[in-house]
Every structure is written in C-alpha cells, then in structure tokens.
Amino acid sequence: MENYPSFNQLIQQSIIDNWDLDALTDYKGATLQFHDVARKIEKLHILFENSGVKRGDKIAMCGRNSSQWAVAFLATLTYGAVAVPILHEFMADQIHNIVNHSDAKLLFVGDHVATQVDPMQMPNLEGIINNPDYSLMVSRTEKLTYAREHLNELYGKKFPKFFRKEHVHYYTEENGEELAMINYTSGTTGFSKGVMIPYRALWSNYDFAEHVLGKTIKRGDRVISILPMAHMYGMAFEFVFEFLHGCHVYYLNRIPSPAIIAQAFADIKPKIIIAVPLVIEKIIRKKVFPKIQNNRMRLLLAMPVISKKVRELICKEVINAFGGELYEVIIGGAAFNQEVESFLKRIEFPYTVGYGATECAPIICYRDWKTFVQGSCGQEAYHMKVKINSSDPAHIPGEILAKGPNVMLGYYKNEEATRETLDGEGWYHTGDLGTMDYDGNVFINGRSKNMLLGPSGQNIYPEEIEDKLNSMTMVVESVVVQRDNKLVGLVYPDYDEAKNMNFNDADITNIMEQNRLQLNEQLPAYEKITEIEIRKEEFEKTPKRSIKRFLYT
C-alpha cells in the first residue's frame, strides 16, 4: 500500500500558516479569516464529541454554498467523520433517500433546505443542524441537546484564555485508503450511487492543482465559488485547493444568475475561474458578441495587417468581462459549444477544458491553456493514467479508462455496480467514448451510458424521469432527450385508451401538457422537462424489448 501525505494535516497546516488571512467570504456578507474558521471547527468538534459522534460516523450537509457549509465540511473531515455532501437542488425525497442510504448520524442544512426536508422521513438521524448559526432544528438525543445548549461553556472550559495556533490539532487519517466522503451521483432510490472517496483521492486532486497552478496562484488570491460544493468539480477546485493554498474564497450564496456572476467577477476580480460551459457561453454571448458582431468589426478582423491587434483588443475585453485579473478559465462538466470555443481560441483567450468524474474526485484529464489543443479535454492529469479501450485509439473511439490515486474505493453498499465500473487491475471504466491522438490529447466522442449533463454539470439520469413520466395519464412509454441544453420528453401515448374515450389529438396534447406540469413539480430545476413531443408510433426496440435510445438522442 502506497503512503500518501495526510490530507487533514494539510488543512491543519494551511490554517496555521494563513492564520490572519481572509479565508471565506459570503459575497456581500461576512468574511471569516483562517483563525475564525479554526475556532468554528473547534466548536463543532466539541459538539460532535459531546453528542457521541465517533470516528467514521457519517455527517451529511445540504445547502447553498456558504462559508458555514465549508466549515461544517472541514470540521467533519478533521474530526475523523465521513462527509456526505448533498446537492441542495435535489427534491426533499431525494435528500431523504441519501441521508437514509448513507447512514448519516447528523445533517447540516441551509435555510432553503431546512424548509424542504421532513425529519420524520429520516428516522435514523440523531439531529439536524442549521448551517447559518449551528442551532438545532431537530435533536433526538439528550447528549446532542446538552452539547449545543452548553457549547460556549464547554468551549470556554477547554480554552479558558485564548484559542491560538498551537491549539489546532486535527485527526490524522491512518492511511490514504481511509474513507473521507461519500458523494452521490443521483438522489433517487434505485439509481443512487454513493461514490466512496478516500483521503488519497482528495490529496491527489489537491496535489495535481498545486502542481499545475501552485506557482501561478498566490496566497491571498481571490476565487469565486460558483459550482455547488456538493459537486466534486466545485468542491476540489473552487474550495479545497484554494483553502489549502491560502487563497480567499467568495461564495455566491444567492442563485448564481449570469448577471450576478458577471457583477461578482467585476467586484472580486478572481485569479482563476472554474466553470461549466453554460456560464462562460452566456457571458460571451451577452457581454462580448454584441460588441464585435457588427460590420465594422468584421471588416477589421478580415484585414490581415491589423486583425492581430483587433484580436488582442477583443481578448482584453473578454478578460475584463471576467474581472480583468485571471490567469485562466478552466471549463468542465459538460460539452463546450464549438462556436464559442473557436472564438476564444482565435482571440487567444486563456481557457482550457478539463475532464473528470465524481468517481475520480474528479480530475482525469487537463492541460494548461498555453498547450491546450482545441476540441480536446487535455491529457492525462498529474498522478493519473488514461487509456482508450480500442484497437486504434487515435482513430477508432473506445471507452475512456482511468487509473491512479484519484479513483474511488467503490460505490457505497453496491458491490455489483462497483464490479461493473472498477476492473481487477484498478482501471475505472468511465462509460464515455473517446479517442487519443499520438500526443496524448483526449477527445470525447460521446457517452456510452445514458447519463446526461445539466447546465451546471449535474448528473441527469433520464431513466429516473422516464420512470415518473411512464406512470402518468395515458403514457405508454417515453424517452427523455437533451436538445440545446433543454430536456424534452418523447412520449408514445395510449391511443387505444384515447379511442375509447373519443379523444382527439388536441385532447391528447392537453393531457400531456398537464402531465409535464405535474412531472416538473416532482423534479429539481435542472431536470424539468421543457416540452413533451408526442409520437405516433412506438419506439423501436431491441430483441430484449429495450428502447433503442440511440435512435432518438
């Protein structure tokens, strides 16, 4: 077994080294310095210890990104418990499913989630803690109630004078294989896969970021947390790396609309931006294209003598739209629009596209913007090995396989799915199809599994939506597809029933629209169906009577 540096010791060292620097800020709200984070972690450790939380117990957290969410996560790991981050966009029943499946003992909730969840649906929880002030929403043990009511008193007894750097001592994991967190790819029972992420994967992703960005990004540099921290991409590269490096993280704790994000870029001037394509595309289309898509600019760009200067001016304009001080924009989580990518490459804008998966916590491929090849997703990342399962990887697409310390331990309570995904030699089978050129650049050709990607890189499993849709009025079968980043439900109605009821096409259309509205009430925003398309014929089937999905996507 390979020895890896302790991840929790890195957290401890960063707090000590950056004691008086700004660490976490809720945008247009309060700022926590590293010593403030340390004090809050200590209080949560006292709460855990006095309420009976043991090493290895599961602690879930669900809420919009905030400094308090980040503290709860750090406190969980540095206590030796297992963190279970849950996307706040999940519906209440999905949150209940994950809490129950993960065997969570405590649940931290943000204000938005607190109004959604039903404690009665999570009978094994010992308590629900409100993120903003760590007050108790629910307590089912006397120990927890006592610990919270006497928290300041217990803290005062432990540190009668002052809390100093020398008091920061965190749990050191026994080895890199120890379980650090469980991250769920989906929230629905029957589809839930809890990815078991060991400490080595957290350390390896941090060390990768340190290797490729550590000399460029400095202590005190600013970054904006846009992606959900319950998403491994946002967790690893908008929070963990920056916190361990001594950076200052800003949380957009409101819904991050393009207008709010653009304003935050201007105010905060981040040094690096981690984003999904949709955010970048919207800013480019709204802030940049209108200024350059006119006849005068097209004429200037067509003149070889001055087009280079014009492209430099446009590039500067684009960089200013992102705050003006960035080193690069790292894009991942979904396919990038080719028109926007070609434009960015032409003006030599510092962007790159990475590739990863929750199962690799998350990085698989990356390349710095200076050497990044357009259309690719980079090369195998530092610490990782990548290969294409094909007889001719440069020309014939095959499944992308990844191996290295980033790879998960397996799926929680799901040995069958683990065996299907991790082979005997330790290769993770991504389910994505791609090619690799002779220089090692990886190009994604498509997904061999059915998973779709939401606008912020969320995993969407169409079968989950179809399962609900198929149970609705007059629906015989359905297929959910993605068109222009929007979900469309293809439905074959029950025409026999329609004939019996003397329904015409307009009646069927009205029924399906009602179905769509009812369905959307059960789905998080990124899974909502924008339209139902009615089919006159059944979907084509395989000999096993499965729908040939590839014909309709």
Side-chain angles (χ1 to χ4, degrees):
M1 184 185 296
E2 192 170 339
N3 286 325
Y4 296 97
S6 166
F7 183 77
N8 280 338
Q9 289 303 302
L10 290 173
I11 297 173
Q12 177 176 307
Q13 200 58 49
S14 179
I15 285 173
I16 292 169
D17 291 346
N18 302 297
W19 192 252
D20 291 320
L21 290 182
D22 291 341
L24 310 171
T25 295
D26 292 324
Y27 181 49
K28 298 196 173 175
T31 292
L32 298 179
Q33 295 188 317
F34 280 85
H35 62 79
D36 298 318
V37 173
R39 289 192 184 97
K40 286 179 177 290
I41 287 174
E42 203 60 49
K43 283 196 171 184
L44 287 178
H45 283 183
I46 291 169
L47 183 71
F48 295 160
E49 185 179 355
N50 287 276
S51 61
V53 174
K54 302 284 192 297
R55 311 281 187 229
D57 281 346
K58 318 298 189 302
I59 297 178
M61 47 219 63
C62 185
R64 289 196 183 108
N65 289 4
S66 69
S67 56
Q68 306 300 340
W69 194 110
V71 170
F73 175 81
L74 293 170
T76 298
L77 261 60
T78 54
Y79 184 79
V82 176
V84 184
I86 302 172
L87 276 173
H88 71 273
E89 295 162 299
F90 280 155
M91 302 297 282
D93 62 337
Q94 296 177 303
I95 297 168
H96 301 153
N97 289 336
I98 291 174
V99 167
N100 295 333
H101 186 268
S102 68
D103 306 308
K105 198 167 189 174
L106 297 174
L107 169 65
F108 285 85
V109 293
D111 49 3
H112 161 72
V113 177
T115 59
Q116 278 191 301
V117 294
D118 178 1
M120 300 302 290
Q121 300 301 314
M122 301 174 285
N124 297 322
L125 269 183
E126 291 186 4
I128 301 177
I129 302 168
N130 288 308
N131 248 341
D133 58 2
Y134 303 135
S135 61
L136 294 179
M137 177 176 155
V138 172
S139 176
R140 291 180 172 140
T141 72
E142 289 181 10
K143 275 186 171 182
L144 177 59
T145 302
Y146 179 88
R148 183 61 190 93
E149 287 179 353
H150 296 82
L151 187 55
N152 289 333
E153 179 189 332
L154 292 165
Y155 179 82
K157 279 183 182 176
K158 190 170 182 180
F159 307 104
K161 293 185 178 179
F162 297 103
F163 180 76
R164 300 186 183 90
K165 291 181 187 181
E166 53 266 30
H167 294 130
V168 178
H169 292 291
Y170 294 150
Y171 168 76
T172 302
E173 61 272 25
E174 292 177 13
N175 60 65
E177 298 300 314
E178 188 175 327
L179 181 62
M181 59 188 286
I182 304 174
N183 199 290
Y184 280 80
T185 59
S186 163
T188 303
T189 305
F191 294 93
S192 293
K193 286 199 286 190
V195 178
M196 295 191 291
I197 295 169
Y199 275 100
R200 62 165 159 75
L202 294 181
W203 168 82
S204 181
N205 271 274
Y206 155 73
D207 197 57
F208 149 78
E210 195 66 62
H211 181 76
V212 299
L213 295 169
K215 290 179 181 175
T216 306
I217 310 300
K218 303 288 189 289
R219 290 171 70 211
D221 278 348
R222 299 170 300 277
V223 69
I224 303 174
S225 175
I226 301 171
L227 300 172
M229 283 199 290
H231 192 296
M232 276 313 306
Y233 185 33
M235 166 72 74
F237 303 127
E238 288 183 329
F239 168 46
V240 168
F241 161 66
E242 286 81 0
F243 187 85
L244 297 184
H245 196 70
C247 296
H248 184 184
V249 181
Y250 287 78
Y251 293 107
L252 299 184
N253 42 12
R254 291 180 292 166
I255 296 170
S257 67
I260 289 173
I261 292 170
Q263 185 59 51
F265 286 153
D267 293 344
I268 296 164
K269 304 185 188 315
K271 191 62 184 275
I272 189 166
I273 293 171
I274 313 292
V276 292
L278 193 66
V279 170
I280 304 302
E281 288 165 16
K282 281 190 174 179
I283 289 172
I284 296 292
R285 291 185 190 283
K286 286 192 173 185
K287 294 262 182 183
V288 181
F289 278 178
K291 294 180 181 179
I292 64 169
Q293 289 180 333
N294 55 58
N295 290 335
R296 178 174 165 272
M297 192 60 75
R298 287 193 184 99
L299 190 65
L300 290 171
L301 283 168
M303 295 179 179
V305 180
I306 59 170
S307 66
K308 187 175 189 300
K309 283 188 176 180
V310 174
R311 287 200 302 272
E312 286 172 0
L313 286 170
I314 293 171
C315 186
K316 191 174 180 183
E317 183 78 27
V318 178
I319 288 172
N320 286 337
F322 291 101
E325 294 184 16
L326 63 88
Y327 169 70
E328 78 176 356
V329 175
I330 303 174
I331 298 161
F336 198 18
N337 179 274
Q338 290 183 354
E339 179 195 7
V340 174
E341 181 172 5
S342 294
F343 164 72
L344 293 179
K345 196 70 179 176
R346 191 178 177 204
I347 64 171
E348 298 181 9
F349 179 78
Y351 85 96
T352 186
V353 178
Y355 167 61
T358 304
E359 287 83 350
C360 290
I363 201 69
I364 295 172
C365 293
Y366 170 85
R367 199 75 178 162
D368 183 273
W369 74 272
K370 292 171 185 170
T371 54
F372 170 73
V373 173
Q374 181 180 345
S376 77
C377 60
Q379 300 178 359
E380 62 183 20
Y382 185 59
H383 292 310
M384 292 296 284
K385 292 179 181 176
V386 175
K387 68 179 181 180
I388 307 296
N389 195 10
S390 163
S391 57
D392 183 3
H395 301 103
I396 301 172
E399 187 176 15
I400 302 170
L401 308 184
K403 187 177 183 180
N406 294 11
V407 176
M408 66 173 179
L409 297 170
Y411 297 112
Y412 190 57
K413 297 181 183 175
N414 196 337
E415 291 182 13
E416 184 182 348
T418 300
R419 283 194 299 272
E420 289 173 359
T421 309
L422 291 178
D423 67 27
E425 295 179 355
W427 288 97
Y428 162 60
H429 291 243
T430 66
D432 295 332
L433 299 174
T435 56
M436 183 189 293
D437 68 17
Y438 297 114
D439 293 321
N441 297 297
V442 175
F443 299 82
I444 297 175
N445 295 77
R447 299 187 172 272
S448 62
K449 294 178 183 174
N450 300 328
M451 189 188 85
L452 306 173
L453 284 161
S456 295
Q458 304 99 329
N459 299 331
I460 299 171
Y461 294 87
E463 298 97 328
E464 296 179 10
I465 305 171
E466 292 157 8
D467 192 47
K468 291 181 169 67
L469 185 52
N470 291 343
S471 66
M472 294 186 147
T473 306
M474 290 189 64
V475 176
V476 174
E477 56 187 6
S478 64
V479 172
V480 171
V481 299
Q482 199 169 36
R483 294 177 183 163
D484 298 324
N485 285 318
K486 294 180 179 177
L487 297 180
V488 176
L490 311 181
V491 171
Y492 176 65
D494 189 336
Y495 284 111
D496 291 336
E497 177 70 11
K499 191 174 180 182
N500 291 337
M501 299 294 292
N502 203 27
F503 289 161
N504 57 28
D505 287 350
D507 295 326
I508 294 172
T509 299
N510 289 333
I511 289 167
M512 292 307 155
E513 177 58 15
Q514 284 303 306
N515 286 342
R516 186 184 73 85
L517 296 173
Q518 287 176 29
L519 174 67
N520 284 347
E521 288 176 4
Q522 305 172 44
L523 300 171
Y526 63 87
E527 286 188 349
K528 292 190 188 300
I529 300 294
T530 57
E531 166 189 4
I532 284 186
E533 191 176 286
I534 298 169
R535 291 182 53 79
K536 292 291 186 183
E537 297 174 353
E538 284 189 43
F539 296 100
E540 286 194 44
K541 311 287 197 312
T542 66
K544 291 183 180 178
R545 299 299 295 162
S546 298
I547 295 173
K548 293 182 178 178
R549 307 182 70 92
F550 64 90
L551 294 175
Y552 306 101
T553 55

